[in-house]
Amino acid sequence: MNAGEILLLGDVNIDSFWPVPEFPVPGRDGLVDKVRFEIGGAVLNTAAFLDRLGTTTRLLSCIGRDRWADNILDSLATTRIQTSSIQIEPEAMTGINFTIVTPDGERTMFTHRGANAHYAPSSLKEVDFKNAALLHISGYALLTPPQKDSVKRAVEIAKMYGVPISLDTGLEPVIKRPEDFRDLIRELTICISGLEEAKQLFGCKSPQEAADRFLNEGVKLAAIKLGSRGSLVAIKEKSVTMPCFNVETVDTTGAGDSFSAGVIYGWQHGFDLKGTATLASALGALATTVYGAGLSLPNKEAVIEFLQRMKQHNEDVVKESVEFLVDYFSSTNTLR
């Protein structure tokens, strides 16, 4: 096990969710029966699930000085997620997402990143890195300076203290900043991405080709998200293809971030490839069963119950790993 905090550098937001029966024709109205407001953002979602798994996390993010910021900090005070390294930018509005969710669970997101983009290198504290287990970066942090500059500085400090580095690429950032990602990937221990991102970066045509390319760049653990087709998780010696778990999907928001939490947790606790892939897929699937993400993500009882149900899965690779995960979490009592 790699002891210490997981540092997460990226966006935190207020997410608003608007479930609609169908996407309105341009110029017409879309009427909704209810609206939900939750705290969210890529790294906050990942931190939330890691917190439920008993892992200490610290957010390296930026918020404004407004009621949305107060809501984020008040909500996080009910968790073990460390917020003392969050930068406050008085002149900027806290990031906010407007998310339309259709009946198939697909979400269309409109984002004002606001204060997130203002996260400055001067906000990074070397003391946070001295005993950290991992630095995890959201690809969206590479979009604009000074947050982009903070990624570079954080990587420098992590290397100084021998802290492994993880990245969840994201498609939009890869499209906009491909060269920045090609440079950063060489510094990674863990790379979490999608096949489309790998196509954009290296012209990869298959999940295995994508994983192999990341590994050849120096990555130690590559995880390729494939949506409804599951995922592929690989190290140099072998790879595991994990099927998608069937759940009643209501909202896909946070599924990828939750998948990342599973990959990080499995790596930190020394799980084998099957165990890591199964946990990542299970958390990603569970995230789609609730509206929103953040603190709305399923609790420990839901995780254990879901894993118990998956013992009946018809894929041997899932059965074996689920049995291990149920025994592990039951004996260590790390979930909450």
Side-chain angles (χ1 to χ4, degrees), residues 245-247 278-279 281-286 289 300-311 322 326:
F245 293 137
N246 291 323
V247 294
T278 302
L279 180 62
S281 291
L283 298 190
L286 271 172
T289 64
K300 66 176 183 179
E301 289 81 10
V303 173
I304 294 173
E305 180 185 337
F306 182 76
L307 290 171
Q308 291 279 14
R309 292 202 308 272
M310 289 303 103
K311 286 183 179 181
V322 165
V326 171

Side-chain angles (χ1 to χ4, degrees), residues 117-317:
H118 292 264
Y119 185 70
S122 58
S123 291
L124 293 165
K125 305 170 187 175
E126 286 192 25
V127 67
D128 291 341
F129 289 76
K130 287 183 177 179
N131 297 306
L134 181 77
L135 168 66
H136 178 67
I137 301 167
S138 165
Y140 286 85
L142 284 169
L143 284 173
T144 56
Q147 190 184 34
K148 174 184 172 182
D149 302 322
S150 298
V151 171
K152 182 178 179 181
R153 179 57 182 153
V155 169
E156 291 173 352
I157 300 173
K159 291 171 65 178
M160 186 188 312
Y161 288 101
V163 178
I165 302 168
S166 169
L167 171 71
D168 185 351
T169 59
L171 179 56
E172 290 300 321
V174 164
I175 291 172
K176 290 179 169 60
R177 299 284 183 183
E179 288 305 318
D180 291 332
F181 282 90
R182 293 187 188 107
D183 292 340
L184 179 55
I185 284 167
R186 300 187 185 101
E187 309 291 349
L188 302 178
T189 296
I190 301 171
C191 185
I192 303 163
S193 191
L195 182 55
E196 188 58 40
E197 290 94 306
K199 287 180 181 177
Q200 292 284 334
L201 290 170
F202 303 117
C204 300
K205 297 180 180 179
S206 71
Q208 188 64 60
E209 184 183 357
D212 289 343
R213 182 57 190 261
F214 288 131
L215 294 170
N216 288 336
E217 293 290 321
V219 171
K220 305 302 182 187
L221 175 64
I224 310 299
K225 296 178 284 189
L226 302 171
S228 61
R229 293 185 291 140
S231 62
L232 183 143
V233 181
I235 57 177
K236 271 287 188 182
E237 298 79 16
K238 59 182 177 180
S239 63
V240 171
T241 298
M242 185 60 53
C244 184
F245 293 137
N246 291 323
V247 294
E248 187 174 341
T249 297
V250 298
D251 177 14
T252 57
T253 302
D257 308 326
S258 300
F259 179 92
S260 293
V263 171
I264 292 169
Y265 189 91
W267 170 86
Q268 184 185 19
H269 291 264
F271 290 1
D272 66 12
L273 213 55
K274 291 179 182 178
T276 298
T278 302
L279 180 62
S281 291
L283 298 190
L286 271 172
T288 71
T289 64
V290 297
Y291 276 110
L295 303 191
S296 294
L297 290 168
N299 60 19
K300 66 176 183 179
E301 289 81 10
V303 173
I304 294 173
E305 180 185 337
F306 182 76
L307 290 171
Q308 291 279 14
R309 292 202 308 272
M310 289 303 103
K311 286 183 179 181
Q312 307 304 316
H313 203 281
N314 59 7
E315 298 269 356
D316 288 340
V317 64

Side-chain angles (χ1 to χ4, degrees), residues 77-128:
T78 66
T79 74
R80 292 172 294 187
I81 298 171
Q82 303 298 303
T83 61
S84 60
S85 297
I86 292 179
Q87 175 186 333
I88 307 296
E89 183 60 37
E91 302 304 317
M93 178 181 173
T94 298
I96 188 165
N97 286 332
F98 172 74
T99 305
I100 297 174
V101 184
T102 47
D104 60 356
E106 191 58 68
R107 92 293 189 274
T108 302
M109 190 174 291
F110 300 86
T111 301
H112 172 61
R113 298 187 65 234
N116 286 300
H118 292 264
Y119 185 70
S122 58
S123 291
L124 293 165
K125 305 170 187 175
E126 286 192 25
V127 67
D128 291 341

